Amino acid sequence: MASNDSPKGFPFMKLPPELRNRVYFFALVKPHPIKPILGDRISTIVNHESNCSLGRHSGPQLKIPLINGSQHRIVSGTTMDCKHPFEGTREIRLPSSVLALLLVSRTILKEAVHFFYQYNHFTFSRVDDLNLFLDGIGRRRHHLKELSFKFTSTDATATFNKLQKCEQLTHLHIQLVWNAEHVRLDNKKGRNLQSAIGMAALRKLRGLQVVELVGTDVVYDMHGHRTELDILDSDAVGPHLMFELTMPRVPKGHKNLIKQPKSTVAPRVKGKK
């Protein structure tokens, strides 16, 4: 005789914390870099395929009619494989259901949310996208540990100032390319990446354990002739940037303990009336 009793849910919260943590890790941590979807999924993928220099992608294909009536071939579904080191590297475009676990209860959200942000590697094609991501996750940005992005100067200063508050950030992968279309330079300071708008804010980051830089920089001789260099060349910005980013992070509350040089100006002494 069939029972009319409704099936009971599994008592997940009665599991030991160690087992719950294993479930959170397997559910939320992915083996490849994640490129967050910052807007409409279709427009995001179209934008990627339009700008990716390789143009080699695999996955289910779908034709979407554009405004002008033409058809554009894009990747549908939840994943897209791309071999570009910064715009791709087998990016995983996560559907919202992946994070549905965090919506079950406030207790699970509190226990599990740091697994997603701390143990995943997030990648961005532009600094603007990284800026939107940091704004979107708010205080959870302090869980972030590994990021990749292409250096572009739009909103770069504001973005890198926010990265300084990511206290657990240890791995940073940056593509820097001397290109007037991507990097705006402060002409008062120079014409190489050292003078790129936003570079001063980036150089204030500290405490990184792994820094990967790829790309190119330029130098000019006394006659104004330009030479293109690998970003890690001794005359490029790379070695200096890596040295600064891997310097120890100053603990909170210690900034005011740095001794300031004594003033050489003698103090004014008021005379007696």
Side-chain angles (χ1 to χ4, degrees):
M1 182 174 179
S3 174
N4 294 327
D5 295 337
S6 59
K8 295 181 179 180
F10 181 79
F12 179 74
M13 297 308 297
K14 291 184 178 180
L15 291 175
E18 295 81 6
L19 291 181
R20 295 203 302 271
N21 286 342
R22 293 189 66 181
V23 172
Y24 298 148
F25 187 90
F26 286 118
L28 298 173
V29 180
K30 303 304 171 184
H32 303 296
I34 295 173
K35 187 167 188 178
I37 300 173
L38 301 172
D40 180 350
R41 180 178 64 84
I42 291 178
S43 62
T44 301
I45 296 177
V46 169
N47 181 68
H48 173 88
E49 286 202 320
S50 300
N51 292 283
C52 182
S53 57
L54 291 184
R56 296 198 301 269
H57 304 87
S58 62
Q61 302 296 314
L62 177 67
K63 288 188 176 182
I64 298 294
L66 301 182
I67 295 177
N68 59 5
S70 62
Q71 302 236 338
H72 190 100
R73 191 179 178 197
I74 69 168
V75 177
S76 64
T78 59
T79 63
M80 177 175 67
D81 289 349
C82 175
K83 303 305 181 183
H84 192 287
F86 280 86
E87 295 185 17
T89 317
R90 295 198 64 188
E91 299 162 356
I92 300 177
R93 297 175 179 270
L94 297 175
S96 57
S97 58
V98 171
L99 299 180
L101 176 64
L102 303 179
L103 303 178
V104 173
S105 69
R106 292 184 180 181
T107 302
I108 289 181
L109 174 64
K110 186 176 180 180
E111 287 185 347
V113 67
H114 75 278
F115 282 90
F116 181 70
Y117 293 108
Q118 184 173 351
Y119 296 108
N120 281 313
H121 173 187
F122 297 94
T123 181
F124 304 88
S125 297
R126 304 179 306 160
V127 172
D128 305 48
D129 295 337
L130 173 58
N131 190 49
L132 289 173
F133 177 71
L134 294 175
D135 285 341
I137 64 176
R139 292 178 297 176
R140 292 170 185 166
R141 69 181 67 152
H142 77 271
H143 292 304
L144 296 173
K145 247 183 142 175
E146 185 168 10
L147 298 172
S148 298
F149 60 87
K150 181 188 290 185
F151 186 103
T152 51
S153 288
T154 306
D155 292 333
T157 299
T159 303
F160 298 150
N161 285 337
K162 294 170 187 173
L163 282 185
Q164 295 175 34
K165 299 179 182 178
C166 300
E167 299 175 355
Q168 296 191 46
L169 187 63
T170 58
H171 292 61
L172 202 59
H173 313 267
I174 312 175
Q175 182 184 22
L176 301 102
V177 179
W178 189 95
N179 186 326
E181 295 180 1
H182 297 100
V183 177
R184 292 186 295 121
L185 305 178
D186 187 339
N187 293 326
K188 296 180 181 179
K189 297 181 179 180
R191 292 183 290 177
N192 58 6
L193 284 177
Q194 188 70 30
S195 60
I197 296 175
M199 182 61 70
L202 178 61
R203 292 175 58 183
K204 292 180 180 179
L205 287 177
R206 295 291 184 270
L208 297 175
Q209 298 175 9
V210 176
V211 177
E212 179 194 10
L213 303 178
V214 299
T216 57
D217 199 357
V218 297
V219 294
Y220 290 84
D221 61 21
M222 58 184 301
H223 302 292
H225 298 143
R226 189 181 78 184
T227 302
E228 188 172 294
L229 304 173
D230 184 88
I231 197 65
L232 297 180
D233 189 279
S234 59
D235 291 327
V237 71
H240 306 284
L241 181 59
M242 291 183 68
F243 173 77
E244 291 175 318
L245 296 183
T246 54
M247 289 178 63
R249 186 178 283 114
V250 179
K252 284 185 177 180
H254 286 217
K255 294 183 179 180
N256 295 332
L257 298 180
I258 301 176
K259 294 183 178 180
Q260 298 295 333
K262 294 183 178 179
S263 175
T264 56
V265 179
R268 240 179 233 183
V269 179
K270 293 183 180 180
K272 294 184 180 180
K273 292 184 179 179

